[in-house]
Amino acid sequence: MGPTNGGIETPILEKEISRILQRVSQEGGGYAFACMAAAARDGDARAAEAARDMAWEQLHCGPWHSVMPIWRDAYSMACLHVAKHHFAGGDLEETLKVLDLGLIMGGSLLRVDIENGVDKVMAVLEERENRSDKAKFENGDGKGSNCGAGLLLSSLDFNEIEVLGSLPPKSLSSKLVVKHAALSLEGFLQDYYLLGLPVIISNSMDHWPARARWNSLDYLKRVAGGRTVPVEVGKNYLCSDWKQELITFSQFLERIKSSNTSAVPTYLAQHPLFDQIKGLRKDILVPDYCYAGGGELRSINAWFGPSGTVTPLHHDPHHNIFAQVVGKKYVRLYAASLSEELYPHSETMLCNSSQVDLDNVDENAFPRVKDLEFMDCILDEGEMLYIPPKWWHYVRSLTPSLSVSFWINNSEGG
């Protein structure tokens, strides 16, 4: 019997829907969408799917930054209509997938309504799982729902000799990033933030619930296993075979565990996962260091992946507190003043990325890189790395790894 009691409808204001339909009707292809959306509101499941397909096409008609914002809101609305029909039919997994796509690809106007729908589906799924666990226990099984039991990372996942051999030339042989235990806010501000210097901070995230929970596959699957997430497949975003996929978090975790050195890595990179999955957001805390300089927190992103994932040499415009929750990563940093010597791409979309592949440097094409000064480190779990704005950095996962980045605007508003 499907979970039809009450549906997943939430108090969507009529003026919001009318605003979306009115504005989208003025865009190319918008009139046809408005007709389908109106039929979807009246209960036509096929019209709901058609409207969602129309909005999806508009989202993929060019570069993401060129998509009209109204089409993202239109996609959100269509996702709500489609999810309503799946929920009424008892297909909770498909309902959740559709709502997640609305969160990932949709606009902000109906986001609260989609989040409320997710909460309702998750509550039904949790109740169903609790009933299943109870039945297993009463039947003498006693194991509950431990099908996902196990560790994401074990001691066998780190072979020091093998790992060190995979690093770029000259790694860990020159200047290491300074490390401080429980660095005071004043010390961080005066000695690193204001001077624009990197630093590793240890013993400052031991109280995060994530530190005790995220190495458990059972926990991660229970909290987020059925959720759909965007992942990158390929060596890195500068490679021609790089692509993006949408898979469930459980499927992603299986790829992490089954990954080997010859497999194409799958990386959940720079995704606002914690805006999407509130259960994981509760496991992390914003470090006080994020507010030391008077700036504002801009975004919190997840960087989850297997050993061997690489973020190529690039720089970001914001202060970055990079927290290593599970596993180890190698990080190499070059000062912002060395930008020209690092041969940035000329294309606007890639101007913050270097043409230099540190894993295979072409010294004939990029002769100035060879003798550039850098600092580097192995970032262990439980440590945070401060990366100043415009500092170039290369990152390689040495084990299965779960990391969180906190981007902070400059206090001047930059």
Side-chain angles (χ1 to χ4, degrees):
M1 183 174 65
T4 57
N5 287 344
I8 62 167
E9 299 93 333
T10 53
I12 307 174
L13 298 177
E14 283 297 321
K15 65 178 182 179
E16 290 180 341
I17 292 183
S18 298
R19 174 185 169 191
I20 293 173
L21 293 178
Q22 181 181 8
R23 290 185 58 195
V24 80
S25 297
Q26 301 169 5
E27 303 295 332
Y31 179 76
F33 171 87
C35 292
M36 287 294 110
R41 289 174 67 188
D42 293 334
D44 188 330
R46 290 185 179 180
E49 290 284 4
R52 187 173 65 136
D53 289 343
M54 290 178 183
W56 179 265
E57 290 180 6
Q58 292 293 330
L59 297 183
H60 293 81
C61 65
W64 183 248
H65 63 82
S66 69
V67 175
M68 296 294 293
I70 188 58
W71 277 113
R72 296 185 63 185
D73 288 324
Y75 183 73
S76 296
M77 182 176 68
C79 284
L80 280 169
H81 289 316
V82 172
K84 172 184 175 182
H85 290 287
H86 286 306
F87 188 83
D91 191 343
L92 299 183
E93 288 74 19
E94 190 63 24
T95 304
L96 199 55
K97 178 181 178 180
V98 171
L99 291 173
D100 271 327
L101 289 175
L103 290 175
I104 295 167
M105 306 293 292
S108 60
L109 192 60
L110 300 178
R111 187 175 182 89
V112 171
D113 298 279
I114 295 179
E115 290 176 340
N116 289 339
V118 168
D119 289 343
K120 183 152 192 175
V121 175
M122 292 299 290
V124 176
L125 286 171
E126 183 176 0
E127 181 181 354
R128 176 187 291 181
E129 183 177 350
N130 289 339
R131 287 200 303 267
S132 175
D133 287 349
K134 181 179 179 181
K136 289 179 181 179
F137 184 80
E138 291 175 347
N139 290 333
D141 188 337
K143 296 179 181 179
S145 58
N146 288 325
C147 59
L151 298 178
L152 180 68
L153 173 67
S154 72
S155 58
L156 300 178
D157 288 316
F158 184 71
N159 182 318
E160 185 173 0
I161 296 177
E162 180 180 313
V163 163
L164 293 180
S166 70
L167 300 181
K170 299 183 179 180
S171 295
L172 306 174
S173 64
S174 182
K175 187 176 183 180
L176 299 179
V177 180
V178 174
K179 182 184 297 189
H180 282 283
L183 181 63
S184 69
L185 291 179
E186 182 179 0
F188 170 69
L189 181 64
Q190 297 297 329
D191 297 336
Y192 299 99
Y193 184 96
L194 293 178
L195 296 180
L197 295 174
V199 64
I200 294 173
I201 305 169
S202 61
N203 299 344
S204 290
M205 48 186 286
D206 296 342
H207 58 295
W208 287 18
R211 292 280 289 116
R213 296 172 178 171
W214 283 10
N215 199 33
S216 165
L217 285 171
D218 182 65
Y219 174 79
L220 293 174
K221 289 182 177 181
R222 177 165 54 83
V223 173
R227 306 298 299 274
T228 295
V229 293
V231 297
E232 302 177 359
V233 181
K235 181 182 177 182
N236 62 62
Y237 63 82
L238 296 177
C239 295
S240 58
D241 61 349
W242 178 87
K243 62 180 180 178
Q244 293 177 296
E245 294 180 2
L246 291 164
I247 60 177
T248 67
F249 197 66
S250 281
Q251 290 172 326
F252 172 65
L253 292 173
E254 290 302 323
R255 291 193 190 184
I256 292 180
K257 286 299 293 179
S258 63
S259 181
N260 56 63
T261 54
S262 62
V264 177
T266 299
Y267 199 12
L268 196 161
Q270 198 172 338
H271 174 55
L273 184 70
F274 311 106
D275 290 340
Q276 180 190 351
I277 304 178
K278 305 299 184 183
L280 294 178
R281 175 63 180 86
K282 296 174 183 177
D283 290 340
I284 62 174
L285 302 172
V286 178
D288 290 341
Y289 302 104
C290 291
Y291 305 110
E296 294 183 356
L297 185 65
R298 178 181 177 87
S299 63
I300 306 175
N301 288 320
W303 305 81
F304 293 2
S307 175
T309 52
V310 171
T311 301
L313 191 60
H314 72 289
H315 69 79
D316 301 307
H318 310 291
H319 298 273
N320 184 359
I321 301 290
F322 190 83
Q324 189 63 25
V325 182
V326 176
K328 300 173 183 284
K329 282 186 171 175
Y330 170 80
V331 186
R332 178 179 291 195
L333 302 121
Y334 293 86
S337 59
L338 299 176
S339 288
E340 290 305 314
E341 287 80 3
L342 290 171
Y343 303 90
H345 281 271
S346 57
E347 299 94 328
T348 302
M349 293 290 291
L350 296 174
C351 64
N352 72 323
S353 298
S354 172
Q355 299 178 62
V356 180
D357 180 358
L358 288 182
D359 293 311
N360 186 24
V361 178
D362 184 341
E363 294 185 0
N364 292 323
F366 311 114
R368 298 195 298 271
V369 172
K370 180 180 179 181
D371 298 319
L372 289 181
E373 182 179 278
F374 63 85
M375 60 178 68
D376 60 358
C377 66
I378 290 180
L379 193 66
D380 284 310
E381 56 184 52
E383 296 180 340
M384 296 185 289
L385 171 64
Y386 168 61
I387 304 175
K390 301 295 182 70
W391 270 66
W392 294 80
H393 47 288
Y394 160 100
V395 185
R396 172 181 282 271
S397 297
L398 306 181
T399 66
S401 172
L402 307 182
S403 313
V404 181
S405 66
F406 300 85
W407 274 8
I408 308 105
N409 282 338
N410 289 318
S411 55
E412 292 82 8

